[in-house]
Amino acid sequence: MKTLVIKIENLTYKYSVGTPFEKVAVDNVNLEIEGGEVIGVIGHTGSGKSTLIQHLNGLLKPTSGKIYLDGMDIWADKSKLRQVRFNVGLVFQYPEYQLFEETVYKDIAFGPKNMGLTEKEIDYRVHEAAEFAGIREEVLQKSPSELSGGQKRRVAIAGVIAMEPKVLILDEPTAGLDPKGRNKILSQIKTYHEKVGNTILLVSHSMEDVAVFADKVLVMNKAKVFAYDTVENVFARSEELKAIRLAVPQITNVFHRLHEEGYPVPENVYTVAYAKRKLLATLAERGKLPNA
Amino acid sequence: MLKDITIGQYFPGHSSLHRLDPRIKIILTIVYIVLLFLVKNSAGFAVSILFLVVCYMVAKIPLKMILRSLKPIVPILIFTSALNVLFVSGDHPIFDWGVFHITQEGIYTAVTMSIRVLCLIAGSSLLTYTTSPIALTDAIERLLGPLKVLHFPVHELAMMMSIALRFIPTLIEETDKIMSAQKARGADLESGGLMQRARALIPILIPLFISAFRRAEELALAMECRCYHGGKGRTRMKQLHLGVVDGLACGVMVLTVGAVIALNFLPIPW
């Protein structure tokens, strides 16, 4: 049975209230997030997705509206706000720029240390998080400045994973990485989710990533929730998505066209892996036909 | 938070103050500051405050912006005023207690000094509100131009200034981002004693410095790629020309200074 982890009620956030630069960044958003789900968050730059996720761990205070974590209003008791931040781990865009310690080990330990854990527990968590993020043992004693961009980013992600958050939010974790670094990070996150089974929010520009990775998709457009549904249901609305200048995965477009042209393929396909299976099956069937 | 800092911020607009030649604006601002120290009585202060109010109205800068730029200096102002009130000695004591003497002179000094400082900040803020950083450094470079004869690196200085100004908002944004990121990892920036707070800044300052150096390196490279090598032989896209408005502004300033000096001779007690 699924349980509600985060509930957002009528959330509105305005920047620079009372100045000529006032701007509504999040407009009356209502949202329910269940435990164990992986949610892809997509939208244009400035659609409010980054602002929205910074509300989930109390970094931004709503102009109006409420956010509940496990049924508790996170702003009800300000002294518990830090606790909320440990429960909702947020990895920012380009997180490698926040590394500051002399060694990778110490940097990953920063979060657990702030939680006030024992040395032993911290040590355990650092090693566990490093493993989840694919950081080898010998790297732990290196200085972050010696690492490559992709490695640095995985260290930064490990720093948040080490807090063992109930909800992990990643803001474009693959931005600016080469395909190899990108695949590595995505597969590490996937393994992590399979093992720990917590809730993950993945902000991404890549429809392909979201299709492979997520159970549900949240589409933000102009500060509002445009759609929040399963991957299939959201990508089935491809015409609407195109209208707000968001695209469905390329492979979905390819199969739409194939279907339109009368080929015996399914109409709604979202991942390359699934497409490959279906195509091979179709071809095999055709192979059996006498005149093929 | 940090975004509320408005000193040195440019407030885009099309008023005649915005269109004034930046060189004239700098000179007039300096004249205004000198003027503030020429004032000897309340009538003079009234004129200099009125002048500033009119300027702000012409520039269409909202009152809120002015108040926000003045807010950071209020504590300093209160502190120095208190010192003035308590320690300035004079012939007209109101209250005496040990080392503390509250005198009319003390109160007078406190009030006039506060008005001067407030006008000074508001006046120089007006310069940065109505002048883009680029125009400002351009003007400084021109005004300091004669020093080139003495081999003073005017262009380099102006370039450094414009780069520094250009990067203030970027660095503020960066600081905000790093602070959020460390807070997300449970960094506690709001509580604890002085030492603890100072130590809590390390996770913010180190990444900030690293990124500042990285940016500096990238910028230097980008400038070199575009063949930048100092000010020699460099021409300007925007030439500065003095116009009618500039003459008018100077006229108004001369009148104000004249009025203040004349008012200084008024036979009023304060």
Side-chain angles (χ1 to χ4, degrees):
Chain A
M1 202 190 99
K2 299 224 164 179
T3 49
L4 214 57
V5 176
I6 290 179
K7 188 176 177 200
I8 303 174
E9 238 176 49
N10 307 323
L11 172 70
T12 296
Y13 184 78
K14 287 178 190 161
Y15 273 113
S16 314
V17 176
T19 69
F21 308 111
E22 183 173 311
K23 187 178 169 268
V24 181
V26 175
D27 191 2
N28 198 20
V29 165
N30 287 287
L31 212 59
E32 290 182 353
I33 296 167
E34 282 167 354
E37 279 182 332
V38 177
I39 296 164
V41 183
I42 52 180
H44 290 293
T45 314
S47 61
K49 48 189 184 355
S50 288
T51 313
L52 177 69
I53 57 171
Q54 285 186 56
H55 279 93
L56 300 183
N57 70 346
L59 278 175
L60 291 177
K61 191 173 181 184
T63 309
S64 67
K66 293 247 189 301
I67 296 144
Y68 298 94
L69 177 67
D70 288 331
M72 294 258 294
D73 178 4
I74 64 168
W75 282 96
D77 183 359
K78 268 192 166 182
S79 61
K80 293 214 176 104
L81 214 53
R82 264 181 98 201
Q83 203 50 52
V84 170
R85 289 185 189 149
F86 297 136
N87 278 326
V88 182
L90 174 56
V91 180
F92 276 85
Q93 252 175 61
Y94 299 100
E96 56 272 31
Y97 295 141
Q98 73 193 30
L99 303 177
F100 69 98
E101 284 283 13
E102 303 143 51
T103 66
V104 169
Y105 181 96
K106 279 190 188 171
D107 213 287
I108 299 176
F110 181 67
K113 226 184 228 167
N114 285 329
M115 297 169 81
L117 301 173
T118 61
E119 280 297 322
K120 213 180 130 198
E121 176 71 19
I122 291 175
D123 189 65
Y124 170 73
R125 287 198 178 191
V126 169
H127 282 102
E128 201 190 38
E131 202 191 312
F132 276 135
I135 300 159
R136 285 192 316 275
E137 189 68 33
E138 63 265 28
V139 178
L140 286 179
Q141 293 312 321
K142 279 192 184 173
S143 159
S145 58
E146 294 170 47
L147 308 181
S148 72
Q151 274 179 317
K152 275 190 208 171
R153 188 162 302 178
R154 278 184 278 125
V155 170
I157 293 174
V160 174
I161 289 179
M163 302 192 301
E164 296 188 354
K166 241 184 193 170
V167 181
L168 178 67
I169 306 172
L170 299 135
D171 193 352
E172 294 192 38
T174 57
L177 290 183
D178 57 16
K180 204 176 137 203
R182 168 196 191 92
N183 286 339
K184 174 126 194 175
I185 282 193
L186 284 178
S187 66
Q188 299 285 0
I189 296 169
K190 196 160 192 169
T191 330
Y192 168 72
H193 177 253
E194 276 159 14
K195 278 194 188 154
V196 181
N198 57 359
T199 312
I200 294 185
L201 265 77
L202 179 83
V203 179
S204 180
H205 273 305
S206 158
M207 302 299 154
E208 278 75 15
D209 290 354
V210 169
V212 176
F213 204 66
D215 307 318
K216 272 188 176 177
V217 184
L218 168 65
V219 184
M220 293 287 293
N221 186 42
K222 292 182 181 158
K224 286 183 197 286
V225 173
F226 177 80
Y228 178 53
D229 211 331
T230 58
V231 174
E232 291 76 25
N233 288 344
V234 169
F235 287 151
R237 295 162 67 182
S238 64
E239 289 307 314
E240 283 172 73
L241 287 174
K242 271 180 205 154
I244 61 165
R245 297 170 160 270
L246 282 170
V248 293
Q250 284 180 1
I251 195 74
T252 310
N253 278 333
V254 170
F255 270 71
H256 264 297
R257 275 298 295 277
L258 284 176
H259 189 82
E260 266 171 39
E261 303 280 328
Y263 288 96
V265 292
E267 192 182 355
N268 295 316
V269 173
Y270 310 104
T271 66
V272 177
Y274 180 72
K276 185 178 156 193
R277 268 207 316 277
K278 281 287 166 193
L279 266 187
L280 284 177
T282 314
L283 288 176
E285 232 167 74
R286 279 202 164 186
K288 280 181 206 154
L289 293 175
N291 295 324
Chain B
M1 258 209 324
L2 284 170
K3 280 181 190 137
D4 295 336
I5 298 171
T6 55
I7 294 178
Q9 201 183 45
Y10 175 50
F11 195 88
H14 299 285
S15 72
S16 40
L17 266 182
H18 283 87
R19 277 180 284 126
L20 219 55
D21 187 295
R23 288 171 296 177
I24 299 294
K25 268 192 274 189
I26 291 177
I27 294 171
L28 291 186
T29 308
I30 295 169
V31 171
Y32 181 74
I33 290 169
V34 172
L35 172 80
L36 284 174
F37 290 91
L38 286 176
V39 173
K40 284 207 178 99
N41 56 26
S42 51
F45 277 121
V47 170
S48 36
I49 293 172
L50 184 74
F51 175 77
L52 203 57
V53 170
V54 171
C55 281
Y56 266 100
M57 276 161 68
V58 170
K60 296 202 183 83
I61 310 268
L63 186 70
K64 262 188 190 159
M65 295 285 285
I66 312 165
L67 294 182
R68 263 207 272 171
S69 76
L70 293 178
K71 218 163 82 183
I73 59 152
V74 167
I76 307 169
L77 220 52
I78 292 172
F79 181 68
T80 47
S81 296
L83 284 185
N84 272 319
V85 168
L86 293 176
F87 294 110
V88 168
S89 51
D91 303 328
H92 300 85
I94 301 171
F95 181 77
D96 245 319
W97 189 73
V99 285
F100 302 117
H101 320 281
I102 296 182
T103 61
Q104 281 183 17
E105 284 82 357
I107 293 173
Y108 179 76
T109 320
V111 171
T112 52
M113 193 211 58
S114 304
I115 295 178
R116 281 196 176 115
V117 171
L118 287 174
C119 285
L120 198 147
I121 302 275
S124 34
S125 302
L126 185 63
L127 174 68
T128 53
Y129 281 151
T130 58
T131 321
S132 75
I134 295 170
L136 206 58
T137 44
D138 196 10
I140 291 172
E141 187 175 349
R142 292 299 206 79
L143 286 174
L144 295 179
L147 290 177
K148 270 184 199 156
V149 184
L150 304 170
H151 294 290
F152 186 77
V154 175
H155 172 80
E156 283 72 13
L157 206 76
M159 181 54 88
M160 280 195 273
M161 251 188 67
S162 51
I163 291 173
L165 283 172
R166 157 67 184 77
F167 275 94
I168 288 173
T170 312
L171 289 176
I172 287 178
E173 204 178 292
E174 188 102 5
T175 315
D176 250 354
K177 233 193 248 164
I178 296 170
M179 274 170 81
S180 302
Q182 306 299 25
K183 272 200 218 157
R185 292 205 283 165
D188 189 6
L189 304 171
E190 278 113 21
S191 59
L194 194 65
M195 275 309 285
Q196 216 176 333
R197 277 188 191 215
R199 207 170 302 141
L201 283 180
I202 294 174
I204 289 154
L205 290 180
I206 291 180
L208 188 64
F209 270 92
I210 294 175
S211 88
F213 281 119
R214 186 174 43 85
R215 276 180 201 283
E217 219 174 276
E218 281 169 5
L219 180 68
L221 194 65
M223 283 167 84
E224 234 165 76
C225 286
R226 287 189 265 171
C227 302
Y228 176 80
H229 47 77
K232 218 167 196 179
R234 237 176 128 75
T235 53
R236 320 203 148 269
M237 189 169 94
K238 280 187 184 165
Q239 299 284 344
L240 293 175
H241 294 294
L242 295 179
V244 186
V245 201
D246 302 296
L248 217 65
C250 290
V252 172
M253 197 56 171
V254 167
L255 276 179
T256 316
V257 174
V260 164
I261 292 173
L263 286 170
N264 279 345
F265 292 102
L266 266 189
I268 46 175
W270 40 266

